[in-house]
Amino acid sequence: MDRRTRTGCLTCRRRRVKCDEARPTCNRCRTANFECEGYPSPRRASNALSASSSNKSRNQSRSPPGTAFPELSYRHADWRQEQLPFYHHFVTTTAPRLFRDDHITFWRDQVAQISYGVDLVYEALLAIGAVHRAALISCQHGNEQQAAKFKIIGLRAYGNTIKLLPSHLNQDTIPEILATLVVLMLLAYFECFMENPKAAFRHLWAAIQLLRSSEERLSDEEISNLVPVFDAMLRLDFLAQKLVPFACSSFVRLSDLAFLESPFWNRAAPKFSGCSQADLISAERYRLIQLVCAHNKLSRVVWGCWCPTNERPSRNELMGFYSEMVLWRSTSPGTFASCEWLDHSGAMDMAAIESCPIPPPPMLFSSDEAALNVALYNAYMGCAVAMINTTDPDPAARELEAFNLVYSNLCIAAGLLEKTCEEREGRYKPCDAISMGISISIFHGARRCFSLAWQKWTVSALRLIGREGLVNGFTLANTAEIMYQLEARLFNKDPVQLIQDENNYLGPISTRLMPVFMPPGDRDEFLCFYLRYGNEEELDGDERAVQFVARATWKEDFAGTIHSLDLEMYDPLLLENPGPVGKPPALELFASWRQAVESGWHGLLSTEIQDRFLQK
């Protein structure tokens, strides 16, 4: 058992941390940016005791040969044998898998070095290292008992971090602010591994607010050093926009002048600082995310398809987004040189689309990051094309383009899933895809599948992918399956005939249902609304109104099996005894929800509408 000594500097003794007793100022204080107040006058002690203490100090200051981090096992007062593997796991495994290659040195070296002297950062590293190791053991080896043990250690460290956080938030020094920013981002990622979206977004929003309140005080050098933190914020901010219905970015800020520039597509492509070229593919993704976030802030391109016609992006705005996406593709050689298949133009007509094989042939990339970039591009181009299709003089051509984009993503998913099954290092691991995975991209195309065969393969792929942090493939598969069943009933399709004709065209995309999956709240229950555009005779004022078709709530086990499915039908075509149907109570709640998240997804954090949606 370690014996506490009272020969450390006054600062370390007050902080109750182990001092390395270097002179004239200790390394512990210097590393943590604390002012070392020096040492008290030595007590009268025997020469033997002084010599023993001196020898012990010298021995502890030596590092074993070949150690990457000297004195690592001695520098922290609370170091325990069970904690070392998780600290090491963060440095060697978690950081390389969560963050960009050109940002690894920040998270692996600088943040780890800060943790030597700041207990708050140390506990946060332990927490995320332990929970990430638990996730890997669970999804790769199925060892739930060992994963649960590691998760408990992670939760204990997380609790210690939360206890320490208030005292650091009250500090006003730049080093404390920078350390707190890092910790808040690590806590957000921790909650992603725990599949808790509201808690993850709460930490992310706290980090964004702290950054905004402090950025005027930061020097150019400090801002440049924080680029890895900005990148992590942007990725999680983008994930929040995809998971919170009708939300836009809470992180990206645009000048009001951007709204006044017209025509929209003649604006210069958005340019953003902090994008290193050291990792070309990651830099290209950074630009793509910024582009989508900027347009979503201006014209709701992400959720526009779910809005009434008078609130959707105009044709000019959609064409502007489409043009800038094409420009992004032409200026992203790292991404699009990673796969020879991308040079193919796709099917030229509906007959060729119908003959596309299912299962789809795997599209293999030299880099998983490049594959995910293309999948993201296809998903949002598909959304834009589907909206352009409703006002296009030649809707058939646009619909064909949308089908090609969906099929391309199915092929990308097939390639990643094939790599998942390979027994080799570096394969695609869904449990690592916290801020960017394949499941959300193929779910985007679920309502634009050409045939029943495409729909069935999409569902099976989502189930095979499983959990990707806040995005649960099992839950998305259940959401899509319920939608397909409702469509079959809505359009009075014979189930037997539908199976026989599973490769046939399912009908225009504009008539399909639109799922609005609500982010899970505090209850252990999932909720999704299914919408569609009304027919011409169902006009509401001067717009084609969005009609509520059904509301589904369910519970599911860890493997994604549905329990307690409850379907509440609103559309007369789905009711056994159709009669007058009033406005669903959810309609008014949707208006409140959209108002809450209109200025950013952070509106989710201050509303209880989620729980009200679940009330019968």
Side-chain angles (χ1 to χ4, degrees), residues 15-136:
R15 294 175 60 222
R16 297 184 180 180
V17 297
K18 190 176 184 66
C19 180
D20 60 9
E21 301 181 38
R23 309 280 176 157
T25 58
C26 76
N27 294 325
R28 183 75 182 242
C29 289
R30 188 162 54 250
T31 301
N33 290 317
F34 280 95
E35 181 182 359
C36 184
E37 298 176 5
Y39 299 87
S41 301
R43 295 182 179 181
R44 297 172 180 260
S46 66
N47 292 334
L49 180 60
S50 300
S52 174
S53 176
S54 175
N55 291 335
K56 182 178 179 181
S57 177
R58 284 197 297 272
N59 289 337
Q60 287 185 347
S61 66
R62 298 193 187 102
S63 58
T67 302
F69 297 93
E71 302 182 85
L72 191 62
S73 59
Y74 300 103
R75 294 291 296 274
H76 202 281
D78 295 326
W79 205 282
R80 298 291 182 269
Q81 187 174 1
E82 69 173 5
Q83 297 174 344
L84 179 59
F86 304 115
Y87 193 97
H88 181 264
H89 183 86
F90 173 84
V91 170
T92 61
T93 306
T94 306
R97 290 182 178 176
L98 282 187
F99 307 110
R100 285 170 49 166
D101 289 348
D102 52 336
H103 293 168
I104 292 302
T105 55
F106 174 84
W107 295 100
R108 184 192 61 201
D109 300 342
Q110 294 187 44
V111 172
Q113 185 178 13
I114 294 172
S115 73
Y116 297 171
V118 182
D119 295 343
L120 175 73
V121 181
Y122 169 76
E123 293 289 351
L125 293 194
L126 284 185
I128 193 169
V131 77
H132 181 231
R133 191 168 184 182
L136 287 179

Side-chain angles (χ1 to χ4, degrees), residues 230-250:
F230 297 158
D231 182 83
M233 283 184 179
L234 179 69
R235 290 178 178 230
L236 291 184
D237 172 80
F238 187 56
L239 178 64
Q241 292 176 71
K242 294 190 289 185
L243 297 183
V244 179
F246 306 105
C248 61
S249 172
S250 294

Side-chain angles (χ1 to χ4, degrees), residues 78-261:
D78 295 326
W79 205 282
R80 298 291 182 269
Q81 187 174 1
E82 69 173 5
Q83 297 174 344
L84 179 59
F86 304 115
Y87 193 97
H88 181 264
H89 183 86
F90 173 84
V91 170
T92 61
T93 306
T94 306
R97 290 182 178 176
L98 282 187
F99 307 110
R100 285 170 49 166
D101 289 348
D102 52 336
H103 293 168
I104 292 302
T105 55
F106 174 84
W107 295 100
R108 184 192 61 201
D109 300 342
Q110 294 187 44
V111 172
Q113 185 178 13
I114 294 172
S115 73
Y116 297 171
V118 182
D119 295 343
L120 175 73
V121 181
Y122 169 76
E123 293 289 351
L125 293 194
L126 284 185
I128 193 169
V131 77
H132 181 231
R133 191 168 184 182
L136 287 179
I137 287 178
S138 177
C139 75
Q140 291 181 257
H141 307 292
N143 190 339
E144 299 300 335
Q145 184 175 1
Q146 188 74 1
K149 178 182 176 182
F150 293 159
K151 190 176 289 187
I152 290 172
I153 295 173
L155 286 168
R156 188 184 305 135
Y158 177 87
N160 292 338
T161 309
I162 296 299
K163 290 178 183 178
L164 293 169
L165 190 58
S167 62
H168 288 263
L169 287 172
N170 293 330
Q171 300 295 324
D172 199 35
T173 64
I174 296 299
E176 287 285 355
I177 291 172
L178 300 183
T180 305
L181 273 175
V182 166
V183 167
L184 287 171
M185 292 308 301
L186 292 177
L187 293 180
Y189 278 109
F190 177 95
E191 293 292 1
C192 289
F193 282 116
M194 297 299 293
E195 301 178 37
N196 189 344
K198 200 162 186 178
F201 298 154
R202 188 175 288 114
H203 291 311
L204 176 59
W205 179 235
I208 292 172
Q209 290 178 297
L210 179 60
L211 175 65
R212 288 181 178 173
S213 64
S214 310
E215 58 188 347
E216 292 184 358
R217 300 172 52 199
L218 301 177
S219 66
D220 291 342
E221 183 180 357
E222 288 164 339
I223 290 176
S224 177
N225 193 48
L226 280 176
V227 165
V229 178
F230 297 158
D231 182 83
M233 283 184 179
L234 179 69
R235 290 178 178 230
L236 291 184
D237 172 80
F238 187 56
L239 178 64
Q241 292 176 71
K242 294 190 289 185
L243 297 183
V244 179
F246 306 105
C248 61
S249 172
S250 294
F251 178 58
V252 174
R253 290 181 291 184
L254 299 174
S255 168
D256 292 339
L257 296 176
F259 290 92
L260 304 178
E261 296 185 13

Side-chain angles (χ1 to χ4, degrees), residues 348-365:
M348 302 302 293
D349 53 38
M350 286 296 193
I353 281 286
E354 188 173 347
S355 64
C356 290
I358 293 291
M363 188 183 293
L364 299 178
F365 289 75

Side-chain angles (χ1 to χ4, degrees), residues 408-430:
S408 176
N409 270 5
L410 297 185
C411 295
I412 292 171
L416 290 173
L417 290 173
E418 183 176 273
K419 292 182 72 175
T420 301
C421 299
E422 293 178 6
E423 292 299 325
R424 63 175 183 80
E425 285 298 317
R427 63 187 183 276
Y428 179 71
K429 299 179 179 66

